[in-house]
Amino acid sequence: MRHASGTVAAGGEERAFTVSNVKAAVEEVLQWLPNAGMPVEAAHADPTSRGHIIVAEDNADMRSYICRLLTEAGFTVNAYPDGNAALTACLANRPELVLSDVMMPGLDGFGLLKRLRAEALTATLPVILLSARAGEESRIDGLSTGADDYLIKPFHAHELVARVDGTIRLARARREVEAELRKAKEDAENATKLKDKFLSLVSHDLKGPLGAVRGFLMLMRDDLALREQQEMVKFIDMSVESSDRMIKMISELLSVSRFKTGKIVPRLKPLSVRKLAETELKLLAPLAAGKNVQLLNEIPEGLELCADPDLLAEVIQNLISNAIKFSKKGGTVRVMNSGQGVITVGDDGMGISPERREKLFRYEELTSTFGTAGEPGTGLGLPLSYDLVKAHGGELSVESTLGKGSKFSVRLPVDACPDGVCEGSKETCRLRGRASEN
């Protein structure tokens, strides 16, 4: 119905037209008549096509008009009278774009859009909605449902073609970028695997000869000591110390490489946390004695967790070694149970700045610094420990204050034992990781 006020009624709502566009709109509407358009209900794919489009429109004249416009513009078009038929066609042969009316019997445009987004094949399929509802609010409502664009009827032919073409081009560009990103990701992963494999081979091949060099150095040292050539013994000791550092670094590189290539997988079993801590403290007692650092095992008797004994021992050893390294002479290093399933290694040493704390667990960051007595490090121990704890389904965290010391906490799941591994009932296994009442 046409009104004197210069509006056109559409679907119970009115859309305003200026004098300049009334004529254009009328000409567009006249082309909807059957003798002005050709029925394109099932066009066939064309290798020279600008893109395959599925149209859902219940009005036969409008459907024929849209098909004619898009076909003449070089697109391949399949048109359907309702949302259900269009959905079936999309799932059978995914198009590059769907152009759908909003108001249709059965499955309407919003319903079609929702169904398309729910299917893996069409979840990212570009959709343009057509509606007689005018105004910015209606457009926002249409886009907020997940449509890529929203076109108001009546529309100009060139606007429809431009919107369709632009949406298809954007979708193609997005797919190309995504493909390039996937390719770059695969290339990076392959390069990392190759690097890790090379690192593993080099580390393995270096470790043996270095061990032999150290052995010969020790034989020379013993011989020189018998001859009382103390100056030479001093030089040999320095060489042995250097070889020890290199062997340690190679061992850590080898561990990192084995973990990254999937050769290290935690084998969980119940273990006594206090015994594990005691073993590692004894191994590192000579290192602590050199700085007069007191080592305290404050893990309560009977505390058990489910973990890989060797991997958890490596983590605890790294944390205790670091604590000794950054402790002052006469300091104290404690191994504690500070919560359910939590093992904490604390010291009263030099502490860590907030800037360094953020980078401690990253392989790519150079975080190694000299200890309070000039002890060097590789910078690999903490990132490796972080990965080993993460492989258990746990978390490694740090709290530190400059000048007052640091606390590194290993938090492990208290019900991590799989069936058949944990001794006793599952409830008993869960209770094992709880903090002592003392």
Side-chain angles (χ1 to χ4, degrees):
M1 176 180 180
R2 188 169 300 280
H3 300 272
S5 59
T7 62
V8 172
E13 298 185 21
E14 296 186 345
R15 179 182 177 189
F17 287 91
T18 63
V19 174
S20 61
N21 68 14
V22 168
K23 182 179 179 181
V26 171
E27 290 176 351
E28 293 272 312
V29 173
L30 288 176
Q31 294 184 72
W32 300 352
L33 298 176
N35 60 359
M38 50 182 280
V40 191
E41 299 297 318
H44 297 288
D46 181 354
T48 63
S49 170
R50 292 170 66 182
H52 176 210
I53 300 169
I54 283 182
V55 174
E57 168 63 64
D58 61 325
N59 183 285
D61 291 336
M62 174 65 82
R63 189 166 66 248
S64 179
Y65 169 60
I66 292 173
C67 288
R68 183 174 66 82
L69 286 180
L70 295 177
T71 301
E72 288 178 354
F75 296 99
T76 299
V77 184
N78 293 95
Y80 300 92
D82 59 74
N84 284 314
L87 176 64
T88 301
C90 288
L91 296 178
N93 182 20
R94 187 184 189 278
E96 285 199 80
L97 180 138
V98 170
L99 185 65
S100 174
D101 186 22
V102 171
M103 301 299 294
M104 293 184 293
L107 186 65
D108 63 13
F110 291 131
L112 173 60
L113 176 59
K114 185 177 180 180
R115 294 284 299 276
L116 289 171
R117 292 290 180 258
E119 297 287 340
L121 178 66
T122 57
T124 59
L125 180 63
V127 176
I128 297 178
L129 293 178
L130 300 174
S131 176
R133 291 182 61 196
E136 189 65 23
E137 184 177 346
S138 298
R139 176 181 174 80
I140 292 174
D141 288 343
L143 294 175
S144 67
T145 61
D148 293 82
D149 206 346
Y150 186 87
L151 196 56
I152 299 170
K153 299 177 184 177
F155 46 78
H156 293 284
H158 71 273
E159 181 183 13
L160 174 67
V161 174
R163 295 280 189 92
V164 167
D165 185 59
T167 303
I168 288 179
R169 287 176 181 272
L170 183 62
R172 287 174 179 172
R174 185 167 56 241
R175 287 197 301 271
E176 289 176 3
V177 170
E178 289 173 351
E180 290 176 1
L181 288 174
R182 283 195 299 270
K183 179 66 165 57
K185 183 173 181 289
E186 290 174 3
D187 290 345
E189 288 174 349
N190 290 334
T192 299
K193 289 178 181 177
L194 184 62
K195 177 203 70 177
D196 290 337
K197 186 175 181 180
F198 173 76
L199 188 60
S200 178
L201 291 171
V202 170
S203 299
H204 183 271
D205 290 345
L206 284 175
K207 192 174 181 180
L210 272 172
V213 169
R214 186 187 185 282
F216 285 124
L217 285 172
M218 291 303 295
L219 289 175
M220 291 174 61
R221 183 193 183 284
D222 293 342
D223 183 58
L224 291 168
L226 289 174
R227 299 180 187 181
E228 298 183 354
Q229 298 186 25
Q230 296 305 318
E231 190 67 23
M232 293 300 296
V233 169
K234 180 180 177 182
F235 291 133
I236 293 293
D237 285 341
M238 292 171 60
S239 299
V240 170
E241 185 179 345
S242 295
S243 64
D244 285 341
R245 287 202 300 267
M246 290 184 69
I247 290 172
K248 181 183 179 183
M249 181 178 67
I250 289 170
S251 295
E252 289 183 343
L253 284 171
L254 193 55
S255 294
V256 170
S257 177
R258 290 176 62 211
F259 181 82
K260 291 294 186 181
T261 53
K263 294 179 180 179
I264 295 180
V265 179
R267 299 182 183 277
L268 307 181
K269 61 189 296 186
L271 55 85
S272 168
V273 180
R274 182 174 177 82
K275 289 181 180 178
L276 183 144
E278 193 65 35
T279 299
E280 300 311 313
L281 288 170
K282 286 180 180 178
L283 287 173
L284 295 168
L287 182 64
K291 299 176 72 172
N292 194 28
V293 171
Q294 185 180 15
L295 301 180
L296 298 179
N297 186 356
E298 298 180 353
I299 299 290
E301 292 282 1
L303 180 67
E304 293 188 355
L305 284 173
C306 219
D308 185 303
D310 295 331
L311 299 184
L312 184 57
E314 185 167 357
V315 171
I316 299 303
Q317 184 181 117
N318 277 335
L319 297 182
I320 296 173
S321 176
N322 260 16
I324 296 171
K325 175 182 174 182
F326 294 107
S327 289
K328 301 171 185 176
K329 286 188 176 182
T332 302
V333 172
R334 290 180 168 85
V335 184
M336 306 165 280
N337 172 217
S338 54
Q340 188 175 3
V342 182
I343 308 167
T344 297
V345 177
D347 64 71
D348 52 7
M350 57 195 294
I352 308 167
S353 68
E355 294 77 19
R356 286 192 60 239
R357 283 205 303 271
E358 294 178 359
K359 305 174 182 178
L360 282 178
F361 304 129
R362 302 176 189 170
Y363 290 105
E364 66 274 14
E365 299 285 351
L366 185 62
T367 59
S368 177
T369 57
F370 289 99
T372 53
E375 305 99 318
T378 64
L380 297 173
L382 287 176
L384 175 60
S385 297
Y386 181 86
D387 276 348
L388 293 179
V389 174
K390 189 176 179 181
H392 281 78
E395 179 186 7
L396 176 60
S397 60
V398 59
E399 298 176 16
S400 186
T401 304
L402 280 174
K404 293 185 178 181
S406 305
K407 289 182 179 179
F408 285 83
S409 295
V410 176
R411 184 181 299 275
L412 297 177
V414 296
D415 56 353
C417 288
D419 292 338
V421 173
C422 182
E423 299 172 0
S425 67
K426 279 195 172 184
E427 184 60 27
T428 302
C429 189
R430 292 190 183 95
L431 290 172
R432 278 177 167 155
R434 297 185 179 176
S436 171
E437 297 293 332
N438 297 329

